[in-house]
Amino acid sequence: MNGLHFAVTHWVHLLWAVAAFIALLAWLERRGQGDLDRFVAAPLQSRLVLRTTPLRRALRLIFLGLCGLFLTLALMRPQWGAQFVSTPRVGAQIMVCLDVSRSMLAEDVAPNRLERAKAELRDLLSYLDGDQVGLIAFAGRATVLSPLTPDFSFLRLVLDKAGPHNVTRGSTRLEEPIRKALAGFRDRGAGEVSRSILLITDGEDHDSFPLEAAKTAAERGVRILAIGFGDEAGSEIQITDPRTGARTLVRNADGNPVRSRLDGDLLREMALVTGGAYIPAGTGAIDLESIYERHIANLTRGRLTGGSYQIRNDIFQWALLCALLCLLAAVASSTVGTVKRTTNEHE
């Protein structure tokens, strides 16, 4: 386990090319010496030709061969020993779909439905350490405010600014956020990591196909956890003007008061189609801890509990260093002899 190991063994065949190259150099060296002996007498060679000694020529070939050997070893990625690196548990990927329609400004829940939902989500993040959470704001349209991220500080910052201004169309279309959430899930590790949609809304669906979207989610192994705010019997929406403090009813284009009705049956059916859960929060306080323990934790916990994996230590850097030193030695064995011979002749 801790001995010498080569990660890329097929580079070993390069040694044949190195051996052939050194043999070619040796043959050319010998042939050149033979041609010189035929054309120039031995006594004149020392005066007419600058040559290194046979020992230095042999050393040059040896160092060049060693250089090729070490380069080949570096390409084979030698490894010695190993270390174990721990991996954090990736429990779940959760896309939070938050209804930011004007009805969420109703004050039957203090201070209003939207702010209460945002406060509950901030508390929920403390339970989701190690998970990846994204945020989608929706009404008649859906907008991704944050993709899946483990950075909860950024997520809280985005959550604080979420409101009706984030969407371009009013009313409530439950299909929109589900489609957006499915598109936002990452495929990596999909078979091992639990993926869920946390749908928080107070209204009934208008002219969309949420059940079809829920069935698509079920086919992809995504569960829907629906939390319904508001009254299923319907209630009028009163909003307080932050500048004057006056409370006014929200009215439609015809001047009639708008009544917000929670379609609990639809949310329950959407959740059951995906094997999820429906939590009717109503207009009272939410026991977040019990909701998390009974519904969210069991559905979003991934099966991976973390662990460690082995990484071998690369030592190819030493092979490269040896190759460089051998190359410098080959150059030095040639130039030093020539310089020395030239110096002696001038003397």
Side-chain angles (χ1 to χ4, degrees):
M1 182 67 71
N2 294 326
L4 183 63
H5 173 80
F6 292 97
V8 190
T9 56
H10 66 264
W11 282 109
V12 69
H13 301 292
L14 187 61
L15 291 176
W16 294 106
V18 174
F21 178 70
I22 297 302
L24 176 63
L25 290 181
W27 178 75
L28 291 176
E29 179 71 28
R30 185 173 180 179
R31 179 182 177 182
Q33 181 63 40
D35 293 341
L36 183 63
D37 292 339
R38 285 196 297 270
F39 289 100
V40 182
L44 296 177
Q45 290 184 12
S46 59
R47 295 179 177 273
L48 300 178
V49 182
L50 296 177
R51 295 179 60 84
T52 58
T53 63
L55 175 61
R56 291 189 178 276
R57 292 198 296 271
L59 288 176
R60 181 182 62 183
L61 292 178
I62 292 174
F63 283 129
L64 286 177
L66 290 175
C67 178
L69 172 63
F70 285 121
L71 284 178
T72 302
L73 292 177
L75 290 174
M76 294 172 62
R77 283 187 60 197
Q79 299 171 331
W80 183 274
Q83 58 181 332
F84 290 89
V85 178
S86 60
T87 57
R89 179 191 58 78
V90 180
Q93 294 179 356
I94 304 173
M95 291 296 293
V96 177
C97 300
L98 177 62
D99 189 346
V100 294
S101 59
R102 291 192 65 192
S103 61
M104 286 290 286
L105 300 178
E107 298 174 355
D108 50 358
V109 177
N112 59 48
R113 297 175 184 176
L114 180 59
E115 291 302 323
R116 171 60 66 86
K118 289 162 65 173
E120 299 295 344
L121 284 174
R122 293 188 198 96
D123 292 338
L124 178 63
L125 292 178
S126 62
Y127 294 95
L128 301 178
D129 184 34
D131 297 333
Q132 296 180 352
V133 183
L135 179 62
I136 295 175
F138 75 94
R141 289 285 186 270
T143 302
V144 178
L145 301 184
S146 171
L148 288 170
T149 177
D151 186 359
F152 289 172
S153 59
F154 169 74
L155 197 62
R156 289 188 179 95
L157 181 64
V158 173
L159 181 62
D160 290 340
K161 298 180 180 180
H165 59 277
N166 293 125
V167 293
T168 58
R169 179 177 175 180
S171 72
T172 302
R173 292 169 56 90
L174 299 179
E175 178 186 9
E176 295 279 338
I178 296 175
R179 300 287 185 190
K180 284 279 188 181
L182 293 177
F185 282 119
R186 296 170 184 170
D187 293 333
R188 178 169 55 91
E192 300 174 336
V193 178
S194 174
R195 299 186 298 176
S196 304
I197 296 174
L198 183 58
L199 180 65
I200 302 175
T201 182
D202 71 338
E204 56 187 335
D205 182 73
H206 294 86
D207 304 325
S208 72
F209 302 93
L211 284 179
E212 285 74 4
K215 291 176 182 178
T216 302
E219 293 172 356
R220 299 185 184 181
V222 178
R223 295 185 177 99
I224 295 179
L225 312 173
I227 298 180
F229 280 86
D231 190 351
E232 293 190 21
S235 61
E236 295 179 346
I237 305 172
Q238 291 189 350
I239 298 178
T240 301
D241 189 329
R243 293 174 299 178
T244 63
R247 292 169 59 87
T248 58
L249 285 174
V250 176
R251 300 180 181 273
N252 58 23
D254 298 329
N256 298 319
V258 174
R259 293 184 64 85
S260 173
R261 187 182 74 86
L262 176 65
D263 193 345
D265 293 335
L266 175 60
L267 294 178
R268 186 179 295 105
E269 188 174 358
M270 292 171 59
L272 293 178
V273 164
T274 63
Y278 169 59
I279 302 101
T283 58
I286 300 177
D287 186 355
L288 180 68
E289 184 175 358
S290 64
I291 290 176
Y292 173 80
E293 294 296 338
R294 290 185 57 186
H295 301 288
I296 300 177
N298 294 333
L299 294 177
T300 61
R301 289 298 92 184
R303 295 182 181 178
L304 299 181
T305 57
S308 62
Y309 60 94
Q310 177 181 277
I311 296 181
R312 294 184 180 272
N313 299 319
D314 285 314
I315 57 172
F316 67 89
Q317 301 90 339
W318 296 102
L320 287 177
L321 177 61
C322 292
L324 177 62
L325 293 177
C326 289
L327 180 62
L328 294 176
V331 173
S333 63
S334 299
T335 57
V336 171
T338 302
V339 172
K340 185 177 180 179
R341 177 67 61 83
T342 304
T343 303
N344 294 335
E345 288 181 357
H346 283 293
E347 290 177 354

